[in-house]
Amino acid sequence: MNGASLASAARRWSGRQRALALVAALVVIAGLSTISGSVFVAPLTTANFAPASGIVAAAVLMARRRSRLAVAAAGGAAIIAGNLMAGLPADFVFIVGLIRILEIVLFCEIVDRTGRLPRLDSVRDTVRIVIGASVASLFFAVGVTVVRLANEVPLDQAFANDSFVAHLASFAVVTPLAFARVGQGGRAPATEIAAQWALMAATLGLVFSPLIGLPVAFLPLPLFAWAALRLSAFGMTLQMLAVSIATSALTLAGWGPFNSSTASDSQALTLLQAALFIFAGSTIVLWAKRVEDELRIERAAAKDRVLRRAVEQAQTAFLLVERIGDAYIVVQANDHGIRALGMDPENEFFSASSEINIALPSDHPLVPGLAEVADGRPRWQGELVLDAFTGRADAEVSIERATGDQSDVMSVELADVTAQRREDRRLRALVDRERALTAQYQELSRQKDDFVASISHELRTPLSSIVGYAEALEETELDPMQRRFLDTITRNAGRLQERVEELLSAAKRAADSVDDPHPLALSPLIADVADDLRPVAAARRVEVVLEGSSLELPEIIGTEDAVTRVLTNIVGNAVKFSPDGAPVTISALVDDDTVELFVRDSGPGIPPADHERVFDRFYRTEDATAKATPGTGLGLSIVRTLLDAIDGSVLVESDGRTGSTFVIRFARARDLDPAS
Ligand code: ADP
C-alpha cells in the first residue's frame, strides 16, 4: 500500500543524482523567484506568493543532516538570483534573502532536528509542520518589517503581513508534497477519487463564479475533509497544490470571494493564501490523525489475530461455558476444545461462526466442577476421564470464573494427558514386575541357602566320622597297599571336609564369622599363605613371588582368620588359573588410609563383563566351566563378604585375555585406632 515519496526515493539516489536534482531544483526556485519578484512586487515589498520557499524547505529536509545548511544557503542564493533577475534593488534583495535562509533553517529545525524524514502519517510531525510554518513565517515577516522600518517606511505600512501568509501557505502546501507517499492511506476506489476531484472542481467553480457573487470561501471545506479521510497522501497533497494554483489564478483574474471593491488584487491574494494555509494545515493534520489511528487499529488487529491463532492452535483445550438455568452451554471453544467435547473442529458447523452453542449433557464429567465454580468456588482443578480427543482420554482440567462481571461464564482449560498416563501405567507395571521377580529371586536364593546349609550339615557328621576312623586306622599296622588306600581316603575326606566348610560358611553369611577386627600385621600372613600354597604351585612349576613392597607393610584392620581366608582364596585362584611355569606375583601399595595388594597372574584373564559377577555366589566364568577347572564358584563371594566385614574391598582388573590382577584393599590400622 505504501509507495515511495519523493523524499524517500531521493534518499536512495546516488550522490551524482542528488546533485543533479539539487541543480534542477535550484533552477526551478530561481525561475519561480524571478516570476514572483517581477509580477507581484513593488520596491521594498516582498511577494505574496512564495512557492520557492516551500521548495527550498522540502529540499533542506530531504538532505542529510550535515548538508542541510549548505542546501538552505544554495536555495536562498537561487531565490536571491531570481529576485535580482526580476530587477529588484540588490541591497534589499540580499538582506531579505539572508532573512529567508534563516527562516527556512528555523522551519526545518522545528519540523525535525534528527535528520530523519518527516512523516505525514504522524500527527506529531504534521502539527510540527503547521507550527514550524507559523513560527518561521512570522520570523520572516518581522525581519522584513525591521528592514522596511530601517528604510523609513511608515510604521502602519511596514508590517509584511502579505509575505507572512504567503510563506505560511507555501510551507503548508508545497513542502508536504515531497514527503507524501504514493498510495499511502488511500481508501477510496478510483471512481470515488474521480468524484471527489470533480466535486472539488465544481465547488471551486461555484465559489469563484462571478454569477454567485457571495463570499462562500468555506464551501470547499467538506471536500478537504473528504480528501483527508479517503485520499492517499500523495493524492491529498497534490490536490492541495492544484487548488492553490487554480484559486490563485482565479483570484488574480479578479474573481472569487477574496476580491472585493475595497481590496486590491494583492490584498485579495493575501486573503486567499491565509485561507489556503488554514485548509492545507487542517487537512494534513486530519489526514495524519486518520491514518495513524488506522495503523494503530491494524496493528492491534494483527496482534489479536496472532494471539487468536495461537489460542486456536494451542494443544491446550479452551472452553467458555455459561450457566443458563440448570444447563451448561459451551459458547466458545478453540479447535482443541471442540475435540475435547468429542467433536470434529473441521465440521462446517464450527467454521460458520466463532460463537458456538453446545449444551453439555447433565452427566458430562465437567458438570460437577462447573457447578462448584458457578456456585462461588474460585477455581476447580482435577483430572477427569472424558469421551474426548481421540476416544477415552485422561484430561487435566482447570475451571475458573471468567473475568468480568458476568459471573456465570466460566473458562475451562483441558490438557490431554492420556499418553502420559498410559506411559505412567506402563512404567508402574514394569516396576511391579521387576519387584515380583526380585522377590521371587530372593526367595529362591534363600531356599538354595537353606538347602546348601542343611545338606552340608548332613554331610559334616558322617564326614567327621570317616576322618576320625581314618585317623584311628593310621595308628594301626598296615601293609604298604593298605597305607596307600588309607592316604587316599584321608586326602579325599579332607578335601571333602574343606568343600563342606566352604559351602557352610557361604550359606551362613561369612561376615558373621568375623569377630572383633583389630590391628594386624599383614606381611607375615602373606608370607604364610604363600608358603602354604607353594607345594601345590610347585607341582605345576608355578612360583609365588613376593615383591619387595609386600614384605614390610604397615598394620591393617582385620582378623587373622578372615585375612588368611581372603589371601588363600585369591592367591589360590591365581595359582590354579596360571599356566604351568608362569609366576604369580604379589605387590603392595600403601597410602594414608589403605594398604592395597595386587595379586597378578598370567592365566586366561576375566572378560570385563564378568568383573563384577565373579563375586556372585556360584558364578564361574565360561572359561573355568569349559575347562572344568575345579571349584564351586563360592570363593570370591566369601572373599567379598569377609572384606566388607573388615572395611576392605576387592576388585579385578583384566582385559579377558592376558591374566588377571586382583586388587585387595585393606583399611590401615592407625586410621581406625589412632592411639595404637
Ligand atoms: P572357584 O574358583 O571355586 O570357581 P571363585 O569364587 O574363587 O570360585 O571364582 C569364581 C570364578 O572366577 C572362577 O570360577 C573363575 O571363573 C573366575 N576366576 C577367579 N579367579 C580367577 C583368576 N585368577 N583367573 C581367571 N579366572 C578367575
Side-chain angles (χ1 to χ4, degrees), residues 573 576-577 601 606 614 619-621 624 631-633 635-636 660 662:
N573 276 348
K576 184 164 72 178
F577 288 99
D601 65 57
I606 300 173
V614 290
Y619 188 83
R620 312 193 68 218
T621 59
T632 55
L636 288 182
S660 320
F662 279 81

Side-chain angles (χ1 to χ4, degrees), residues 244 297 301 383 417 460 548 666:
S244 304
I297 290 168
E383 214 171 295
V417 291
R460 225 181 187 182
F666 297 102

Side-chain angles (χ1 to χ4, degrees), residues 29 33 169 173 177 215 238 346 353 356 394 433 453 457 479 547 550 635:
I29 290 163
S33 304
V173 173
L177 202 59
L238 189 68
E346 305 297 322
S353 134
I356 52 178
D394 297 293
R433 221 180 64 207
H457 209 76
D479 63 34
E547 289 191 345
S550 58

Side-chain angles (χ1 to χ4, degrees), residues 499 502 569-578 599-601 603-607 610 613-625 629-639 652 654 659-662:
R499 293 284 166 263
E502 232 177 37
N569 250 301
I570 288 187
V571 183
N573 276 348
V575 171
K576 184 164 72 178
F577 288 99
S578 272
V599 181
R600 194 167 293 129
D601 65 57
I606 300 173
D610 282 341
R613 298 172 71 185
V614 290
F615 296 99
D616 287 349
R617 262 191 275 174
F618 301 112
Y619 188 83
R620 312 193 68 218
T621 59
E622 252 174 44
D623 187 74
T625 318
T629 317
T632 55
L634 280 171
L636 288 182
S637 80
I638 295 172
V639 163
V652 63
S654 168
S660 320
T661 302
F662 279 81

Side-chain angles (χ1 to χ4, degrees), residues 411-439:
S411 68
V412 181
E413 238 182 272
L414 302 105
D416 183 0
V417 291
T418 315
Q420 276 140 274
R421 294 297 168 266
R422 195 179 303 138
E423 185 60 14
D424 288 351
R425 280 193 289 271
R426 202 179 65 83
L427 284 180
R428 214 172 298 137
L430 265 184
V431 170
D432 287 350
R433 221 180 64 207
E434 272 308 292
R435 241 184 236 145
L437 277 178
T438 311

Side-chain angles (χ1 to χ4, degrees), residues 241-473:
L241 183 72
V243 168
S244 304
I245 294 171
T247 52
S248 299
L250 290 167
T251 301
L252 276 178
W255 291 337
F258 303 101
N259 280 297
S260 69
S261 50
T262 54
S264 65
D265 277 3
S266 160
Q267 283 170 326
L269 196 59
T270 302
L271 275 179
L272 170 72
Q273 304 285 319
L276 284 175
F277 170 68
I278 291 166
F279 288 155
S282 51
T283 305
I284 59 169
V285 174
L286 180 61
W287 187 92
K289 172 73 182 138
R290 187 259 297 180
V291 173
E292 207 177 79
D293 285 353
E294 281 173 359
L295 278 177
R296 195 174 304 132
I297 290 168
E298 224 165 75
R299 254 178 242 133
K303 208 164 108 189
D304 197 55
R305 272 198 300 279
V306 170
L307 278 180
R308 199 170 258 278
R309 199 168 315 133
V311 169
E312 264 160 19
Q313 293 173 355
Q315 280 311 298
T316 305
F318 295 105
L319 304 174
L320 269 189
V321 182
E322 188 172 359
R323 176 159 79 170
I324 299 175
D326 284 342
Y328 291 91
I329 315 284
V330 178
V331 288
Q332 260 184 27
N334 67 350
D335 282 2
H336 220 51
I338 293 172
R339 270 181 221 116
L341 296 173
M343 297 177 215
D344 178 10
E346 305 297 322
N347 189 314
E348 59 190 58
F349 170 74
F350 296 112
S351 57
S353 134
S354 65
E355 292 270 327
I356 52 178
N357 261 308
I358 300 169
L360 293 176
S362 56
D363 60 351
H364 193 280
L366 282 175
V367 167
L370 286 167
E372 282 190 36
V373 175
D375 288 338
R377 187 172 154 172
R379 191 187 173 112
W380 186 95
Q381 266 177 315
E383 214 171 295
L384 296 175
V385 179
L386 301 174
D387 273 329
F389 301 113
T390 47
R392 271 184 94 65
D394 297 293
E396 253 173 28
V397 181
S398 163
I399 304 176
E400 271 180 71
R401 200 173 284 276
T403 45
D405 40 2
Q406 296 156 298
S407 58
D408 276 351
V409 176
M410 286 152 288
S411 68
V412 181
E413 238 182 272
L414 302 105
D416 183 0
V417 291
T418 315
Q420 276 140 274
R421 294 297 168 266
R422 195 179 303 138
E423 185 60 14
D424 288 351
R425 280 193 289 271
R426 202 179 65 83
L427 284 180
R428 214 172 298 137
L430 265 184
V431 170
D432 287 350
R433 221 180 64 207
E434 272 308 292
R435 241 184 236 145
L437 277 178
T438 311
Q440 209 178 346
Y441 172 77
Q442 280 169 342
E443 174 58 18
L444 279 177
S445 167
R446 196 189 56 75
Q447 285 176 3
K448 191 178 68 190
D449 285 353
D450 288 352
F451 172 76
V452 170
S454 59
I455 278 288
S456 24
H457 209 76
E458 294 299 320
L459 290 176
R460 225 181 187 182
T461 325
L463 257 180
S464 312
S465 124
I466 292 172
V467 171
Y469 282 108
E471 277 169 1
L473 264 186

